[in-house]
Amino acid sequence: MRKIVLSLFALSILAACGGGDTGSGTNPVAVPETPTDPAYQKGLELVAKSDCLTCHKIEEKLTGPSYKEVAEKYKGATPEKITELAQKIIKGGTGNWGTVIMIPHPSVTQEDAEAMVKYILLLK
Ligand code: HEC
């Protein structure tokens, strides 16, 4: 009898864990720790709908550096640096990570590009 009760208990725990999606970890480009920064959410959406992820991944180097490496390199970035990185997204460029060129994104506004940079810098 005790065994049955125990295994029923175990089953109900399994069902509780395996069941519904609690919402965390489902978005591959989201980090769960920093959802409170409004720039993070905005930047995340902008990056997800632009072409960024064809060349950048969060964890791995692709055509461009991983966003974690970028966040590491520019941690503690001043507002001026964020403006400069946003300009680079808009105008494209090369030289900071090697000789591969990032294509320009002329349709991205300065404001949106800065939100993207802020999101990326939160990914460390
Ligand atoms: C065609 C591939 C490609 C696409 C698309 C692309 N990037 Fe890049 N990105 C690169 C490369 C290559 C570099 C490294 C440039 C360098 O060496 O200075 C880079 C560098 C960066 C950097 C660091 C800049 C620096 O000076 O250190 C940021 C930030 C960045 N990309 C953000 C973005 C965002 C946001 C988007 C989408 C709007 C995007 N990238 C789209 C290839 C790309």
Side-chain angles (χ1 to χ4, degrees), residues 53-119:
L53 299 174
T54 59
C55 290
H56 293 283
K57 274 183 145 183
I58 308 290
E59 311 259 359
E60 290 160 57
K61 188 175 164 13
L62 223 57
T63 309
S66 77
Y67 282 156
K68 281 215 161 144
E69 285 176 293
V70 175
E72 195 52 45
K73 184 175 170 102
Y74 299 110
K75 75 170 174 241
T78 58
E80 291 74 35
K81 191 76 211 176
I82 291 174
T83 305
E84 191 188 314
L85 288 169
Q87 279 289 308
K88 178 140 173 180
I89 294 171
I90 295 168
K91 294 189 176 150
T94 182
N96 281 345
W97 297 88
T99 53
V100 188
I101 295 169
M102 170 151 72
I103 54 163
H105 295 84
S107 61
V108 174
T109 63
Q110 180 70 26
E111 194 196 342
D112 284 358
E114 286 185 14
M116 291 180 186
V117 171
K118 285 180 190 156
Y119 151 73

